[in-house]
Amino acid sequence: MEMAKILFMSVLVFLLQTFFSTTMLYAQEKFKFTIGTDDTPGFPYMVGSGGTFDKKFPGIDVELLNIMAQELDLDVSFERVTWEVCLASLRRGRFDAIFPASFKEKRLRYGSYPGTKQGKVDEKRSLRVSSYSLYKLKGTPLEWDGKKITNLELPIGATRGWAIADDLINMGVEVELNTNPKYDLSKVIAGRIGAAASLTRTIDSLIRENPKKYEKIEKVIPPLRSKKYYLMISHQFQHKYPLLTEKIWNKITEIYNSDIHFDLLKKYKEL
């Protein structure tokens, strides 16, 4: 009888230790969520460049993702690196997610986009929609009619790794790749490239903040492209936490369509 009691207690202790160890491990894994993003300025979505964000105004995307993480009880952290490093880190599983990623089929080898039951990208669960525009030197003959770029005498500058660079190359345009949109504007002013292709709100913001510096730059109408951007999640994280992955994408959509997003737009004076 005494032997049976000892055996029972031993089994009970083992089961309790296993339960609590598993629970603690799950909790540690559950709450850690590392997001990578590129280190170029992208007002109003990502404010600041280099390895950090502005503390008071980090950007609409950053605040939205922080709110998502808070509501899903995730301990989120952000890392800013070049976009090429973002993709490579997502593929290796060093980053659990990256943003902002427009859809390109070749990126599916790096990670996952929110999908529909039909196996297509779910555009309703995008992070946001943004446009790209061309910026040229005032008085130069370059034109864009929405289908074709004409009177282009020099290459167009674009940020390395951004989807718009591939779009231009596919249009047969010579592209000069750089690491920061600011460099492109400087090259336009210096007459080294024919135009800069970049996010419309980002460059418009730079010009508003530095009107004297960029007084010779003008935006080409209409916008070059409009693209939906997503939070891509690593294959490793999705495989390990499929339900949580869907919750993350759904929560982003829920916040985007709520008053929270509306208030963020007002905070960044986008309304």
Side-chain angles (χ1 to χ4, degrees), residues 197-256:
S198 194
L199 287 166
T200 306
R201 284 183 170 176
T202 298
I203 302 303
D204 285 355
S205 173
L206 282 173
I207 293 172
R208 278 199 309 270
E209 292 171 4
N210 305 276
K212 197 74 176 174
K213 182 177 181 180
Y214 299 121
E215 62 183 356
K216 295 181 180 179
I217 297 285
E218 70 175 344
K219 179 167 60 178
V220 179
I221 305 296
L224 192 59
R225 286 282 189 276
S226 288
K227 289 181 178 290
K228 290 181 180 289
Y229 287 86
Y230 302 86
L231 179 77
M232 285 186 73
I233 292 179
S234 74
H235 294 310
Q236 294 90 330
F237 188 92
Q238 185 183 34
H239 179 74
K240 198 169 187 178
Y241 306 111
L243 295 179
L244 180 56
T245 295
E246 293 299 319
K247 284 183 178 180
I248 289 169
W249 283 324
N250 290 339
K251 181 59 69 174
I252 287 171
T253 303
E254 179 186 318
I255 297 169
Y256 185 87

Side-chain angles (χ1 to χ4, degrees), residues 34-164:
T34 305
I35 302 177
T37 188
D38 70 34
D39 55 1
T40 57
F43 185 91
Y45 309 108
M46 298 178 293
V47 181
S49 58
T52 60
F53 296 109
D54 184 271
K55 289 184 179 180
K56 190 175 181 181
F57 293 91
I60 293 174
D61 284 357
V62 180
E63 294 204 42
L64 189 149
L65 290 170
N66 270 320
I67 293 166
M68 174 277 295
Q70 185 177 0
E71 294 194 5
L72 292 180
D73 209 15
L74 296 171
D75 181 14
V76 69
S77 61
F78 295 90
E79 286 189 37
R80 300 194 74 179
V81 291
T82 66
W83 187 243
E84 290 172 323
V85 173
C86 279
L87 289 168
S89 297
L90 185 74
R91 188 175 191 175
R92 295 198 307 269
R94 192 175 83 78
F95 289 162
D96 298 311
I98 63 171
F99 78 98
S102 62
F103 177 74
K104 295 174 73 172
E105 192 167 344
K106 67 181 183 180
R107 287 180 178 166
L108 290 172
R109 67 178 183 267
Y110 297 107
S112 299
Y113 294 88
T116 64
K117 292 180 180 179
Q118 290 73 35
K120 297 182 179 180
V121 176
D122 191 348
E123 295 187 354
K124 293 180 181 178
R125 293 195 287 175
S126 64
L127 186 60
R128 58 175 158 91
V129 180
S130 293
S131 68
Y132 286 87
S133 292
L134 287 171
Y135 294 83
K136 67 172 187 173
L137 203 61
K138 289 178 180 176
T140 53
L142 181 149
E143 292 183 350
W144 161 249
D145 63 4
K147 294 181 179 180
K148 188 177 181 181
I149 298 172
T150 54
N151 303 319
L152 179 63
E153 299 171 349
L154 293 168
I156 290 177
T159 302
R160 188 183 305 277
W162 287 14
I164 194 64

Side-chain angles (χ1 to χ4, degrees), residues 175-195:
V175 175
E176 183 172 310
L177 299 175
N178 297 290
T179 58
N180 193 306
K182 291 181 180 178
Y183 299 155
D184 288 327
L185 292 182
S186 297
K187 288 182 178 181
V188 171
I189 294 170
R192 294 169 57 190
I193 57 176

